[in-house]
Structure formats: structure tokens, C-alpha cells
Amino acid sequence: MTLNSKCFEEIIDELKSQSNEFSRQGMARYGIDITRALGVSIPSLRKIARKAGKNHALALYLWQSDIHEARMLASMVDEIKKVTPEQMDQWALDFCSWDVCDQVCNNLFKYTDFAFDKAFEWAKRDEEFVKRAGFVLMATLAVGNKSATDEQFEQFFPFIIEESTDYRNFVKKAVNWALRQIGKRNLSLNEKCIKIAEEISQIDSKSARWIASNALKELKSSEVKNRLIIKSNN
């Protein structure tokens, strides 16, 4: 599918027309980099995406615009089968805010054939948002990929343990998110993630102790246990 330049320009104009300074400042309070943000809501972006339809070329141009919301919109209109590992690497390097990272991983990257490979690869990277993306992929795959095996998720455990000492807030929270989501996939993984969390709790690191404590509270909760029991019996 080719790009209609008029379509691209109209979308950029629409995004700019919905710019909201109050929303921008609200984003900043949640730790979002608003340097290139307009303050357009996610529901509004999804509405624009539905109207635009899937278009890989459009997604690439939206990304190149360097506008915060345009980059999230790019992840909504891109064509999964046309996404390459090279594109994923380049976009990951461009991440400069947690919300763009999370939206791109959840809307697009987790559906690609390269999602598991990139989760492993990026979890070992030093760049804050590239590393976060690796763990966000682990979390979103745990929720969205129904056909993956337990063994595929168990391979993430060494990375979760190793990176639990990362003190950076956006990395720490993503590691915790990955551990919790894997542990809520089924009873077997729940038990294994509890053991991993208990192991992490013994590490002499403030970040590791927080990750473990927060994860154990949820993974051991009666709410999670009961839901997984019901799920296993169906």
C-alpha cells in the first residue's frame, strides 16, 4: 500500500488541531516526556487510526514526524507483517518516553514474529527505554499470546532476576510488570514466579526488594489464585 501524502498531512493537521495544553501538563505529572507532545488522548488516537486504516508507509512517515502522539498512532496503523527486526530496533532506539514504548510494544511489536527474540535481546541492552521495551514485551506477550508455551516464558526468568537490580524507575517497573504478568498466566507459572520473586527478595538491592515485594503481594493474593484455579478447571 502506498502513501497518500495528503492523508499524512491531514492526519498531522488533525493531531495538531486537538492539541491540549492541560492534557500535556497532566502527562508531565506522570513522568511522560512532553517535549514533542500535543496532549491528544489515546481514545482520540484510536479513532484517527480506525479512520486512516492500516498502512505501513503511513506508519513510517508518522514515526519520522517525531511528534509524540504521531509515533503512538504509527503503532496503531502499521501492518504487522511488514514490520522488520531492523524497524523494531530503530524505533526502540527512538523511545524517549515510557508511554510511547508501552503503546508501540502493546499495539504492534508483540504481534510480530520477532517479539520473543526482541524481548531477549532488548532486556540485555543498556539504553533505558530499549531495556524497558524488552520487559514490556515479556509482559504483553504473557497476556496476549495464548499459544506460547510455559517454557518460552520460563526462559525470561534469568533476565528478570539479573535486571531486578536496575535502579532506573522505568526499567524497575517493567521488570516487575513482566514478572507479575507471567505469574498470572496459569497456576504452574504462578508458583514458579513466586519462587523467582522470593529469590529476588534476597538480593541486596533496593530495586530488587521492591520488585519482589510488589510481585509477591499480587501473585500470592487470593484473587489471583482463585482466578487461576477457575481458569485451570475450564
Side-chain angles (χ1 to χ4, degrees):
M1 186 179 291
T2 58
L3 172 67
N4 182 328
S5 60
K6 184 178 179 182
C7 174
F8 168 72
E9 291 167 1
E10 287 175 350
I11 287 174
I12 295 299
D13 287 343
E14 184 167 1
L15 288 174
K16 289 180 177 178
S17 73
Q18 295 189 38
S19 179
N20 186 310
E21 183 59 27
F22 181 79
S23 295
R24 285 183 76 251
Q25 295 308 316
M27 291 163 65
R29 287 192 289 274
Y30 282 95
I32 295 171
D33 181 355
I34 62 170
T35 306
R36 297 283 294 167
L38 299 171
V40 182
S41 70
I42 296 296
S44 293
L45 293 179
R46 296 204 183 283
K47 185 176 180 180
I48 295 171
R50 286 193 296 271
K51 188 167 136 185
K54 298 295 184 181
N55 189 316
H56 180 62
L58 174 60
L60 296 180
Y61 271 88
L62 286 169
W63 192 268
Q64 291 169 7
S65 74
D66 198 29
I67 297 172
H68 188 90
E69 287 83 358
R71 287 188 161 178
M72 289 193 282
L73 182 60
S75 73
M76 299 174 188
V77 302
D78 208 347
E79 299 172 77
I80 295 164
K81 292 300 181 183
K82 292 185 179 180
V83 175
T84 65
E86 293 75 21
Q87 177 189 337
M88 293 173 73
D89 286 334
Q90 184 55 63
W91 284 22
L93 282 171
D94 288 339
F95 290 155
C96 61
S97 190
W98 66 265
D99 61 330
V100 174
C101 171
D102 295 5
Q103 284 291 325
V104 173
C105 288
N106 195 48
N107 296 334
L108 182 65
F109 286 174
K110 75 176 183 185
Y111 297 109
T112 68
D113 293 335
F114 322 108
F116 276 90
D117 289 340
K118 289 304 175 185
F120 286 117
E121 182 183 328
W122 292 342
K124 296 182 288 185
R125 293 286 290 267
D126 292 329
E127 301 93 338
E128 182 174 12
F129 290 108
V130 178
K131 186 182 290 289
R132 178 183 174 89
F135 289 100
V136 171
L137 274 180
M138 295 179 196
T140 55
L141 284 166
V143 175
N145 192 318
K146 305 303 181 185
S147 62
T149 65
D150 286 4
E151 289 71 23
Q152 285 178 280
F153 290 102
E154 287 168 23
Q155 291 180 55
F156 291 143
F157 290 164
F159 298 91
I160 290 173
I161 295 169
E162 184 176 353
E163 301 304 330
S164 65
T165 59
D166 195 311
Y167 66 90
R168 292 173 294 184
N169 192 47
F170 296 124
V171 174
K172 176 180 72 174
K173 288 188 173 181
V175 174
N176 171 265
W177 187 14
L179 181 58
R180 288 186 294 107
Q181 293 306 120
I182 295 171
K184 291 188 289 183
R185 190 172 168 87
N186 57 49
L187 281 171
S188 176
L189 284 173
N190 178 263
E191 292 175 4
K192 290 173 181 178
C193 284
I194 286 173
K195 289 181 180 178
I196 293 298
E198 289 172 342
E199 180 179 342
I200 291 173
S201 72
Q202 300 304 308
I203 299 174
D204 185 18
S205 161
K206 185 176 179 180
S207 295
R209 288 193 295 271
W210 177 84
I211 289 170
S213 175
N214 185 272
L216 286 169
K217 182 178 180 181
E218 182 170 16
L219 296 178
K220 286 185 172 184
S221 69
S222 58
E223 180 183 351
V224 168
K225 291 288 189 180
N226 291 337
R227 181 176 63 79
L228 292 179
I229 290 170
I230 293 171
K231 182 179 179 181
S232 69
N233 291 330
N234 290 335

